[in-house]
Amino acid sequence: MLKLFSINSSMKTLRKGKNHLEMQKKLQKAKQVNMDYDPEDGSLSIGYNLLEEKVFKSTVDKIIECVRAAFDQLTDPIDTVYLVGGFGGCRFVSRKITEAIGQHCGNIVCPIHPDLAVVVGAVMWRKDPNIIQSRAADATYGTSVNALFNPSIHDEDYVFEDEEDHEAYCSCIFKVFVLKGEAIKDEVYKATFIPGRQEDIETRIPIYCTTDDGVQYVRDKEGKLTVREIGQLVLDIPNYGNLPREEREYDVFMDFSGTEIQARAQYSITGEEVKTVCDFLSKQD
């Protein structure tokens, strides 16, 4: 049983006056589910099984679901798993994770101060970024582009005719910056584009990621996204001198060198730059 003392004053108040009978009924119900209140010291005892089932189970089940999904995507074996953060130091969480992935990884380690491990690591990295020699991309990152249609590599279902030059183009091509599993070492990836149409004075640049291999198009033939949008850049691209679009280049960068993945775009004519931090938390439609 786990004994708690934080409800002393409120429970003593309930014992008095007309609420006494109601309190006794509630305490009787509590005993039936393995809870017990001691009016002498104001403590509440709760059975471990009840805490696991009602408080921790749903959260831990989601953690295990995510961990198992990550292991299912692995192509190489993992020697060690570290449990960090305040929740990582919970023996119940540690036991459940060990039971769930023990057959995949025999060495599951929890630091002496798991609640400080993440903070200490962040401070160490800020003091000396070179302590992280390299990282591997956990997904494939890129954007969407149109390109001249090539029947040998492009699907005809994505073909359209450009209104200005009347050439055949392929839409929704997944332009990759970095592939899943590729080693990243403080690199900034760059690609150069031109406006889709001569009259364009603004461009919207989506940033996508996917854990699937071999994705060629960001939408399927029904128009549904095949990748996840994690950001969007909106860049002004005015054309004051009526320049042809081939001379109005803009660069798109993806920066993996920090603790967050950032994307930015810069227009060559004005030098204007916009940026965004990639969002992996928002729910996708």
Side-chain angles (χ1 to χ4, degrees), residues 234-238 250-251 265-274:
V234 181
L235 180 67
D236 289 329
I237 50 173
Y250 59 91
D251 297 320
Q266 186 175 41
Y267 187 34
S268 61
I269 304 298
T270 63
E272 179 185 354
E273 182 177 275
V274 293

Side-chain angles (χ1 to χ4, degrees), residues 63-214:
I63 293 174
I64 292 173
E65 181 182 331
C66 291
V67 172
R68 281 176 171 163
F71 269 92
D72 289 341
Q73 296 174 11
L74 293 176
T75 56
D76 298 314
I78 295 294
D79 296 325
T80 304
V81 169
Y82 290 91
L83 300 179
V84 298
F87 216 32
C90 174
R91 285 180 293 176
F92 172 70
V93 174
S94 176
R95 175 166 58 84
K96 289 297 184 180
I97 290 180
T98 300
E99 292 172 358
I101 65 172
Q103 69 273 26
H104 300 291
C105 177
N107 193 19
I108 299 176
V109 178
C110 181
I112 297 176
H113 300 293
D115 52 335
L116 295 177
V118 176
V119 175
V120 171
V123 172
M124 292 174 63
W125 177 85
R126 174 52 62 187
K127 292 177 66 177
D128 181 14
N130 292 322
I131 62 173
I132 299 178
Q133 296 298 314
S134 66
R135 291 174 289 182
D138 64 332
T140 297
Y141 296 88
T143 186
S144 175
V145 299
N146 300 331
L148 282 171
F149 177 67
N150 183 339
S152 63
I153 60 175
H154 294 148
D155 191 321
E156 291 186 356
D157 289 306
Y158 295 91
V159 175
F160 71 96
E161 182 177 308
D162 186 89
E163 297 177 356
E164 295 180 10
D165 59 19
H166 302 289
E167 293 276 3
Y169 283 81
C170 181
S171 66
C172 300
I173 297 173
F174 189 28
K175 168 63 177 177
V176 172
F177 287 99
V178 60
L179 287 168
K180 184 178 74 172
E182 183 178 334
I184 300 173
K185 186 178 180 182
D186 294 341
E187 289 193 44
V188 177
Y189 294 77
K190 171 185 173 183
T192 301
F193 304 96
I194 60 173
R197 297 174 301 175
Q198 177 66 16
E199 65 267 25
D200 287 346
I201 58 173
E202 179 185 89
T203 182
R204 295 178 179 269
I205 309 154
I207 305 298
Y208 298 119
C209 78
T210 178
T211 56
D212 296 331
D213 296 324

Side-chain angles (χ1 to χ4, degrees), residues 158 217-227 285:
Y158 295 91
Y217 303 101
V218 299
R219 294 186 180 275
D220 61 21
K221 295 177 182 179
E222 284 71 42
K224 184 179 179 181
L225 275 175
T226 60
V227 291
D285 295 330

